[in-house]
Structures are given as C-alpha cells and as structure tokens.
Amino acid sequence: MKAPNAYSADCPTRQILDRVGDKWAVLILLLLREQPIRFNQLRRMIEGISQKMLSQVLKSLERDGLIRRRAIATVPVTVEYSITPLGATLAKAVDPLRDWAETHLKEVLAAQRRYDGQHKAMAA
C-alpha cells in the first residue's frame, strides 16, 4: 500500500476525513464520550437529526470502528451505543473544533452579515 496522501483523489484517508467533517458524526462521538446512550435518547439529544440520518451515521461510525452497538434483549429490543477507544481518540481531536465554533460564533456571524450586506449592495 502506498503512503497515505489525503490530496490524492483515490486515497482512503478521504473517507475518514468525510466522517470527521460530518456534523452529525462529530456530535454523536462527543456525546458518547461520557457514557453509552440509547438510540432514542441520542435522537432527542441531537436536535434536528432525523431517525433515518441518525441510523445511517451510527452504522457508518460502527463500520469505522469508532462506536460499538449493543442490542439488549428487551421487548422491544433496546439498542445502546458506546464509543470505542479509537473513537475516543477522534472525539478528543475534534472537541477543540466544537470549542472553537462556540467561542467564535459571534465573530463568524458578524462576518457573514458584513459579507451578505456588501454583496447585496453590489447586486442592486
């Protein structure tokens, strides 16, 4: 196997970066750092995510070895998700991005307003 090169179109590194760049995946990983969480609880905690999207992202994270799925024999079956040691390393790496976004939110929103105002005036 060649050395990884994320700038190469066929490098598998890009698949991993896609996961890191997915807001839902990041939010799920950050929540699971604390404790295992059931599917429906995750859905309630992450506002705006659909059941279908949550299911898809959880399957992708499980496939990548970042989370673990555990079915509990109840009626109906209860499904619980937990982070793996590999997933914990990724959560630790992306948490500063969440922190940066929360810290600089006002600045980014102000920049967007300035940009939109300038481009609206130019279009008129």
Side-chain angles (χ1 to χ4, degrees):
M1 186 168 133
K2 298 187 305 187
N5 176 1
Y7 298 100
S8 175
D10 62 347
C11 183
T13 302
R14 287 195 179 184
Q15 294 172 345
I16 297 168
L17 291 174
D18 283 344
R19 192 79 58 242
V20 174
D22 179 62
K23 68 181 174 187
W24 302 125
V26 169
L27 294 173
I28 290 167
L29 286 173
L30 292 176
L31 284 173
L32 291 177
R33 286 183 310 172
E34 304 302 320
Q35 64 187 4
I37 303 175
R38 294 179 178 172
F39 181 91
N40 285 323
Q41 186 179 359
L42 276 170
R43 197 175 68 181
R44 286 190 299 274
M45 294 172 83
I46 304 172
E47 295 179 7
I49 192 168
S50 69
Q51 182 170 337
K52 179 181 177 183
M53 180 58 68
L54 178 58
S55 180
Q56 288 174 349
V57 175
L58 287 168
K59 285 178 185 175
S60 295
L61 291 170
E62 183 181 12
R63 182 174 183 260
D64 291 345
L66 302 172
I67 66 169
R68 192 173 294 113
R69 179 184 187 274
R70 181 172 78 110
I72 303 166
T74 57
V75 179
V77 172
T78 302
V79 178
E80 181 179 82
Y81 294 90
S82 59
I83 198 164
T84 63
L86 180 62
T89 65
L90 179 55
K92 184 177 179 182
V94 298
D95 194 37
L97 292 173
R98 180 210 44 84
D99 186 49
W100 183 91
E102 290 177 352
T103 301
H104 297 285
L105 176 63
K106 289 180 183 177
E107 296 164 84
V108 172
L109 293 176
Q112 290 173 350
R113 284 192 298 276
R114 282 191 306 275
Y115 178 92
D116 293 345
Q118 290 170 352
H119 284 79
K120 186 175 183 179
M122 295 171 89

